[in-house]
Amino acid sequence: MSAKQKKNRTPRGGQRPGGDAPLVKWVIFFLLLSVVLFAFYATYLDKTIRGKFEGKRWSLPAVVYARPLELFPGMALSPRELEEELQLAGYRRDRKAVDAGGYDRRGRTFHLVTRDFRFPDGPEASAPYTLSFAGNTLTAITRADNSSAVEGLRLDPARIGSFHPSQHEDRILLTRPELPELLIKTLLAVEDRNFYYHPGLDPLAIARALIANVRAQKTVQGGSTLTQQLVKNFFLTNERTFWRKINEAIMALLLEAHYDKEEILTAYANEIFLGQDGNRAIHGFGLASHFYFRRELNDLSPAQVATLVGMVRGPSYYDPRQEPKRCLKRRQDVLEIMLAEKVIGKPAYQEARSAPLATQTMAGSGLNRFPAFLDLVRRQLAEDYREDDLTSEGLKIFTTLDPRVQRVVEQRLAATIARLEKRSGKRNLQGAVIVTRRENGEILAIAGGRTPGQPGFNRALDARRNVGSIIKPAVYLTALGKGYTLATPVEDTAFTVPNAGGKPWRPENFDRTTRGRIPMYQGLAHSLNLATARIGMDVGVKSVVQTVKNLGVPGDFPAYPSFLLGAASLTPLEVTQMYQTIAADGFYLPQRAISSVLAADNTVVKRFDISTEQRFAPEQMYLLNTALQKVVREGTGAALANYLPASYNVAGKTGTSNDLRDSWFAGFTGDLLAVVWVGKDNNKPAGLTGGEGALLVWGEIMRDLHPQPLELTEPEGIEWRWVNPNTQETSPTPFWFAGNQVKLPFTAASLAEPNRTVGAEKTQESREPSAGGVMQKILDWFK
């Protein structure tokens, strides 16, 4: 073999010397590249962790509260009503009330322990009380610890809803000192015994889980640390992929490198998912304690702690309400671990083992107990707060909602509409109700439909319906401001209003009859269209439109004559604002559903104080409200006598739109104002007048609420006179031989002016046969 052949000969193995050098270089290159990429990726994950963990970790929803229940001896309140309030506020019924948030009842005596609560005007500490009843009256309140008499007691309010971000998560944030040691020790014993010793990953736990799962031939044990579980819940998704497990491991190590164990443990306790309440996700042990047991976390028994910790593995699978047997078995497993790890002793273990699950049902505890009311709250808050503030800053919204009033409104609206459907044969009737406090405009209850617990179209706020005769008090108020009196003669006779280029307007009374000359108050009391239209045309339609605006109704209305009889569309809320001004004696009170807003740290952000503006003279309002009382005593609202005695002196007005499409009633007592609408969503005839539909709902509601009688405050300058309804003459003393005479209030100035007759110049050519003619006058002589 030549030297050249020897030089070119390939060694055995098929490779030349030094031929693997490029491969080694490539391997090293890829290893270095992987390290660099891993470093970049780890840096990215590190930035993600620190950015979220050091910033605002959770978007806290705004929590909305009802008004607090204020109790005092002599208060009209039944034991049943008190217990309903306590249940709504999240109090639990115990065998013996010992811990905060518990109560027991023995006949007509209640023992309860209030909860610590931060009200807008300051904190109030938990204390035990005894409440005694006689009939439906609260007779005495005493401190159970020292037997001292108490003049007044304020209970923490019911939580009625929340404004959540899109993920609908809810939690009660707790600090590390607020986490009970019993919970922490149990959690670590069950989920991560080496928590304080591993760097985020626990190889021993992973090995134990692997062996256990191989032996069982299925997954029976997990090897994830609490840190890994926190990373999965807080940063990652629940998808089961290899790449997610890699991310979880890296992020767990990074989290442990930056933050101490106590901070990680606290975050875990606030983040862990523990159940579902409708659309609302229950996160954290703090909220879960309230949701399942109506207790503060530090008041839980060992059995209850074991229940919550056992649910960490699968909140739905071990749901104590849906899967009690499965949950009880899981609780027993946790209790055995607690005993083995010396978290509890033998006596405590035996007691916990025999304890029932004892979960408490939170009736209606979802996102929104009263959707129509919360809809209004959200709209009013939107005037001052961004949507992000409402869903992420943990605001505490204190509202004016009265749960007792709301409950009555919901029950009576649904029951009365069902009865109306059965009686009239009509179907698909709907309704809306708003109840306010007369003296300050606080909205106490709203029903947006006959099934008010279901969210949907809010008729109380958004249903724009023809108001019919409910608008008429504005006509009479305008006239009273221009010197008319309640006794001013008015011709209730037919007439025609020309309409250039259009069809003339010819109003008619509801019963197609006329009544001739009547005192003005009767036009309102009996809701006479002809008399009202004559008055409105006399004072000017534009003036009436301005009165409606001054009463608080927003918007512009064309000054057409038909407006005088209610040819305008308003929402029940707008009608309520109009009557709020009337009920408040001419003072404009913007209606409000919110009293205060607190930040997450309990500092007061805003108080919604009462603002008033006097828009009408007291004398005007006194005369108008006297006439509205006549509506109920002798006019279209007389059917209220079936619900409330005459001594209540209710003032109100019925309203009916064309073709019986809308049935309205607005009325007020000494302390409450309510507006009711009944009709159909498709605007087809409901077949009900205001007195046949809405008035019945109003009466049922007020009968259950036991309102205060209405006592109008008579302003200075009012003088009373007897009025002969046949001649419209007035006298300080009763008339001889005059039937149906009535005593009415007048302003002193109006008595000095000559009386006028509305429509007198048109009566000769347009008068029709009258229901109150000459024969009626002759008969009056013999009454």
Side-chain angles (χ1 to χ4, degrees):
M1 182 180 298
S2 66
K4 184 176 180 180
Q5 288 177 323
K6 289 182 180 180
K7 183 178 180 180
N8 294 332
R9 188 177 61 178
T10 302
R12 290 180 182 179
Q15 294 185 5
R16 297 178 181 178
D20 56 351
L23 178 61
V24 173
K25 291 179 181 180
W26 278 108
V27 169
I28 294 173
F29 171 77
F30 280 116
L31 286 174
L32 290 174
L33 181 62
S34 299
V35 171
V36 172
L37 291 176
F38 177 80
F40 275 111
Y41 187 64
T43 302
Y44 163 75
L45 293 179
D46 185 69
K47 185 178 180 180
T48 300
I49 290 172
R50 298 176 71 173
K52 188 172 182 180
F53 212 73
E54 292 178 1
K56 186 173 65 176
R57 296 179 186 173
W58 295 282
S59 292
L60 298 179
V63 178
V64 186
Y65 295 96
R67 62 92 184 96
L69 178 61
E70 297 185 355
L71 304 171
F72 55 88
M75 179 180 183
L77 183 73
S78 69
R80 177 184 59 82
E81 289 172 333
L82 174 61
E83 189 156 20
E84 287 175 347
E85 286 267 355
L86 292 173
Q87 286 289 318
L88 186 67
Y91 279 74
R92 65 189 180 279
R93 186 167 183 172
D94 295 335
R95 292 183 179 178
K96 183 177 181 181
V98 176
D99 300 323
Y103 75 94
D104 63 66
R105 177 181 177 182
R106 293 176 177 84
R108 296 189 172 274
T109 300
F110 285 77
H111 301 93
L112 68 89
V113 183
T114 61
R115 295 181 290 229
D116 291 339
F117 193 80
R118 176 63 185 250
F119 291 93
D121 58 0
E124 290 191 13
S126 170
Y129 294 92
T130 299
L131 286 72
S132 303
F133 287 82
N136 291 332
T137 302
L138 177 60
T139 56
I141 306 174
T142 57
R143 281 285 295 254
D145 50 356
N146 57 24
S147 299
S148 61
V150 177
E151 294 301 319
L153 170 61
R154 180 170 59 172
L155 298 182
D156 48 296
R159 175 175 172 167
I160 60 173
S162 303
F163 298 140
H164 289 258
S166 57
Q167 64 267 34
H168 291 301
E169 292 183 1
D170 202 2
R171 56 178 52 80
I172 296 176
L173 287 184
L174 299 175
T175 63
R176 179 60 182 90
E178 293 173 322
L179 296 173
E181 288 305 309
L182 177 64
L183 172 69
I184 295 302
K185 291 179 180 178
T186 302
L187 180 64
L188 296 182
V190 174
E191 293 293 327
D192 193 352
R193 298 177 192 175
N194 296 323
F195 175 72
Y196 284 107
Y197 307 105
H198 62 64
L201 303 177
D202 188 355
L204 292 178
I206 295 173
R208 284 197 304 269
L210 181 62
I211 294 172
N213 294 338
V214 169
R215 287 176 176 174
Q217 296 184 346
K218 62 179 180 178
T219 303
V220 296
Q221 185 175 330
S224 296
T225 64
L226 286 186
T227 311
Q228 287 176 273
Q229 293 180 40
L230 175 60
V231 166
K232 180 184 72 174
N233 294 327
F234 197 65
F235 299 103
L236 304 175
T237 65
N238 287 324
E239 61 176 350
R240 294 176 175 272
T241 64
F242 177 75
W243 185 247
R244 198 219 71 188
K245 291 297 292 183
I246 292 297
N247 282 336
E248 179 185 300
I250 297 171
M251 295 176 83
L253 293 171
L254 291 172
L255 195 64
E256 292 267 2
H258 289 299
Y259 306 100
D260 63 40
K261 292 286 187 179
E262 300 304 327
E263 193 169 2
I264 293 172
L265 188 58
T266 303
Y268 179 92
N270 285 315
E271 173 62 25
I272 187 66
F273 172 68
L274 288 169
Q276 197 74 29
D277 178 27
N279 289 337
R280 180 176 67 146
I282 306 300
H283 283 261
F285 289 105
L287 181 59
S289 177
H290 284 273
F291 180 66
Y292 291 108
F293 303 111
R294 298 195 183 197
R295 287 179 176 269
E296 297 292 337
L297 191 57
N298 55 13
D299 290 332
L300 294 187
S301 66
Q304 291 165 333
V305 168
T307 300
L308 292 185
V309 172
M311 292 175 65
V312 168
R313 179 175 292 182
S316 299
Y317 192 78
Y318 296 110
D319 188 322
R321 294 170 185 158
Q322 302 300 322
E323 303 290 345
K325 291 183 179 179
R326 192 180 291 161
C327 179
L328 203 59
K329 184 179 183 303
R330 174 61 179 161
R331 188 189 74 174
Q332 180 58 29
D333 293 340
V334 174
L335 286 171
E336 290 177 0
I337 295 174
M338 293 169 71
L339 177 64
E341 296 295 320
K342 297 183 171 53
V343 176
I344 56 175
K346 192 74 172 179
Y349 167 77
Q350 295 291 354
E351 181 181 354
R353 183 180 181 181
S354 60
L357 279 176
T359 59
Q360 299 279 334
T361 301
M362 301 288 282
S365 63
L367 287 175
N368 195 330
R369 297 188 188 188
F370 309 113
F373 185 88
L374 288 182
D375 187 8
L376 177 60
V377 170
R378 192 160 198 156
R379 296 186 196 192
Q380 291 189 351
L381 286 171
E383 299 175 5
D384 299 293
Y385 298 93
R386 296 177 301 122
E387 180 69 14
D388 185 58
D389 295 332
L390 297 180
T391 60
S392 64
E393 297 298 330
L395 297 176
K396 298 175 182 178
I397 316 298
F398 291 85
T399 73
T400 59
L401 181 130
D402 187 320
R404 183 173 68 93
V405 178
Q406 180 72 34
R407 185 164 47 248
V408 169
V409 165
E410 293 181 358
Q411 293 171 351
R412 293 298 163 231
L413 175 63
T416 308
I417 287 183
R419 192 168 69 250
L420 289 172
E421 287 182 332
K422 185 177 180 180
R423 188 184 70 186
S424 67
K426 299 288 184 178
R427 291 292 180 266
N428 302 319
L429 290 180
Q430 268 296 348
V433 180
I434 300 177
V435 181
T436 72
R437 203 172 295 283
R438 179 190 167 217
E439 72 273 12
N440 59 21
E442 291 182 349
I443 297 177
L444 306 180
I446 296 179
R450 63 187 294 181
T451 51
Q454 297 178 2
F457 181 52
N458 191 344
R459 296 164 188 84
L461 274 58
D462 297 323
R464 307 199 71 84
R465 305 293 299 214
N466 191 285
V467 292
S469 298
I470 210 82
I471 203 82
K472 287 179 179 176
V475 177
Y476 291 82
L477 181 59
T478 306
L480 291 170
K482 291 179 178 289
Y484 294 65
T485 73
L486 296 182
T488 295
V490 180
E491 292 294 337
D492 185 62
T493 54
F495 69 101
T496 300
V497 178
N499 181 14
K503 186 178 180 180
W505 185 58
R506 295 185 178 91
E508 290 182 314
N509 284 335
F510 180 77
D511 58 4
R512 304 292 195 274
T513 67
T514 61
R515 288 160 177 78
R517 184 171 294 180
I518 60 171
M520 191 174 80
Y521 83 89
Q522 286 190 0
L524 183 59
H526 298 282
S527 199
L528 302 177
N529 291 340
L530 291 171
T532 302
R534 284 190 179 276
I535 296 168
M537 295 301 293
D538 204 45
V539 300
V541 181
K542 289 184 178 179
S543 296
V544 176
V545 170
Q546 188 58 50
T547 296
V548 171
K549 291 183 178 181
N550 290 342
L551 286 169
V553 179
D556 294 318
F557 303 96
Y560 298 140
S562 58
F563 179 83
L564 302 171
L565 303 183
S569 296
L570 301 178
T571 67
L573 183 66
E574 290 171 340
V575 173
T576 307
Q577 181 63 75
M578 172 181 165
Y579 276 82
Q580 188 75 55
T581 306
I582 294 173
D585 299 325
F587 285 89
Y588 172 68
L589 295 168
Q591 294 178 325
R592 61 195 182 101
I594 309 166
S595 57
S596 301
V597 177
L598 270 62
D601 61 358
N602 291 322
T603 57
V604 177
V605 176
K606 184 172 183 177
R607 296 185 189 274
F608 290 76
D609 297 322
I610 301 172
S611 62
T612 63
E613 177 188 348
Q614 186 171 357
R615 294 188 175 180
F616 299 93
E619 298 84 3
Q620 275 180 269
M621 301 310 304
Y622 184 76
L623 298 180
L624 177 66
N625 287 337
T626 299
L628 289 174
Q629 288 180 320
K630 293 286 187 183
V631 173
V632 175
R633 287 189 187 132
E634 61 187 67
T636 56
L640 272 184
N642 297 323
Y643 302 94
L644 296 175
S647 59
Y648 277 75
N649 301 318
V650 175
K653 184 69 187 77
T654 55
T656 309
S657 66
N658 289 341
D659 300 323
L660 304 182
R661 286 185 169 88
D662 302 279
S663 172
W664 292 89
F665 187 78
F668 52 94
T669 66
D671 55 341
L672 299 176
L673 161 70
V675 171
V676 178
W677 168 83
V678 174
K680 290 190 173 185
D681 287 340
N682 60 10
N683 204 32
K684 290 185 177 181
L688 300 167
T689 65
E692 295 169 339
L695 181 144
L696 276 61
V697 177
W698 196 98
E700 292 280 4
I701 290 170
M702 287 297 170
R703 181 165 59 186
D704 280 4
L705 292 180
H706 310 293
Q708 297 296 315
L710 174 61
E711 300 294 339
L712 298 177
T713 302
E714 183 176 313
E716 294 183 4
I718 293 293
E719 298 183 19
W720 289 78
R721 292 288 189 274
W722 288 93
V723 178
N724 185 334
N726 299 317
T727 65
Q728 285 76 51
E729 294 177 286
T730 64
S731 171
T733 59
F735 290 93
W736 285 52
F737 306 110
N740 290 334
Q741 57 186 307
V742 62
K743 195 174 185 181
L744 296 174
F746 294 78
T747 63
S750 68
L751 290 172
E753 296 179 1
N755 209 353
R756 73 181 86 183
T757 299
V758 179
E761 71 283 358
K762 301 178 182 179
T763 57
Q764 297 302 318
E765 64 177 7
S766 60
R767 179 174 293 179
E768 297 179 3
S770 170
V774 176
M775 190 63 188
Q776 182 65 48
K777 294 181 180 180
I778 295 174
L779 291 174
D780 286 342
W781 283 86
F782 299 97
K783 289 186 180 179

